Amino acid sequence: METAQPPGQWDVPPPPSTPPRAMTDIELRVSKRLLWVGAAAYPLRNIARVYTFTLRPKRKEAVFRFLARTGIILAVAIGLSIIGGLISLANEAGDSGMSPYEGSQSSGGGLIIFVWICSGAALIYFFVDMLSVVTAPSHYVLAIETAGPSTAMVTSRTPQHLDQLVGYVAGALENPDTEFQVTVEQLTINSPTNYHFGDNVNMYGGSGNVGIAA
């Protein structure tokens, strides 16, 4: 006897649970003529510009850097291989009691093997480093520039939210007694030097992200 099923698509599995948040919330608020971004305070009178833009990785530079490193590594490896070959020829001519193959393997051949193993390891390392930049995501951010060299940046999963915040902060600049508080996300970037920042930037989240100069 079959068990009665509830109406609807009973055989369709339930939707997956909400994935964990990849970003951490941070408060952006204006209070008593100060703009607070997390624990950092900026006097409203020192804010020079507020705008949004897309923060993009230096993908082209990463590819060119990898190609340049590849050229250098191959040039050094070929040069050392030539030296190793010359050493092998010298062994063949000088070691009369040793076969040419043994003389080559004892010195020059070992140098060539060592050079190409190190070169292959370096190429793999630099290739992975390039991929980390090429595949890095872009971030739509809100930037708050001050009259000094620093800029604060935050992001959000909703770009329209950041665009609205530009108006809120601009309104606070025109009316310093204005107060508001919103929630945005920390901008977490593992390698800040791989992004186009422009001026000096104070980043929030990640490691080593304070005072990065492009």
Side-chain angles (χ1 to χ4, degrees), residues 4 11 25 37 57 69 91 94 99-100 103 128-129 142 160 162 169 172 176 214:
D11 58 338
D25 290 343
V37 183
R69 289 171 172 174
N91 287 335
S99 68
V128 172
D129 180 66
L142 168 68
Q160 293 81 3
L162 296 180
V169 177

Side-chain angles (χ1 to χ4, degrees), residues 34-47:
L34 289 175
L35 172 65
W36 290 86
V37 183
Y42 300 86
L44 290 177
R45 66 178 181 275
N46 289 343
I47 296 177

Side-chain angles (χ1 to χ4, degrees), residues 3-214:
T3 304
Q5 299 294 341
Q9 297 180 342
W10 57 270
D11 58 338
V12 177
S17 58
T18 304
R21 295 165 66 94
M23 301 178 183
T24 304
D25 290 343
I26 188 173
E27 284 188 355
L28 188 149
R29 59 190 175 91
V30 172
S31 177
K32 297 180 180 179
R33 303 193 177 190
L34 289 175
L35 172 65
W36 290 86
V37 183
Y42 300 86
L44 290 177
R45 66 178 181 275
N46 289 343
I47 296 177
R49 183 168 65 145
V50 182
Y51 62 103
T52 56
F53 73 101
T54 301
L55 185 66
R56 293 184 173 87
K58 299 177 181 179
R59 298 186 178 96
K60 183 188 300 183
E61 291 85 343
V63 174
F64 289 155
R65 183 168 61 246
F66 172 73
L67 294 177
R69 289 171 172 174
T70 299
I72 294 173
I73 291 173
L74 292 179
V76 172
I78 292 173
L80 293 177
S81 297
I82 293 175
I83 294 175
L86 295 176
I87 294 175
S88 299
L89 292 176
N91 287 335
E92 292 177 10
D95 296 337
S96 58
M98 184 181 300
S99 68
Y101 177 77
E102 293 175 343
S104 176
Q105 288 295 319
S106 62
S107 54
L111 174 61
I112 294 175
I113 294 174
F114 175 77
V115 166
W116 285 103
I117 288 177
C118 293
S119 299
L123 287 175
I124 292 174
Y125 174 81
F126 291 133
F127 180 74
V128 172
D129 180 66
M130 179 196 68
L131 283 183
S132 67
V133 180
V134 173
T135 60
S138 300
H139 300 273
Y140 192 71
V141 300
L142 168 68
I144 303 171
E145 292 184 358
T146 66
S150 63
T151 300
M153 288 187 184
V154 294
T155 187
S156 174
R157 286 173 292 273
T158 307
Q160 293 81 3
H161 181 45
L162 296 180
D163 293 334
Q164 291 177 350
L165 285 180
V166 174
Y168 294 163
V169 177
L173 296 179
E174 295 178 353
N175 303 282
D177 294 330
T178 301
E179 295 189 2
F180 68 87
Q181 177 177 330
V182 295
T183 300
V184 289
E185 282 76 38
Q186 291 180 334
L187 181 57
T188 303
I189 296 176
N190 293 328
S191 299
T193 55
N194 292 331
Y195 282 79
H196 292 284
F197 287 107
D199 297 332
N200 292 347
V201 174
N202 288 325
M203 305 294 296
Y204 296 91
S207 58
N209 293 346
V210 178
I212 301 302

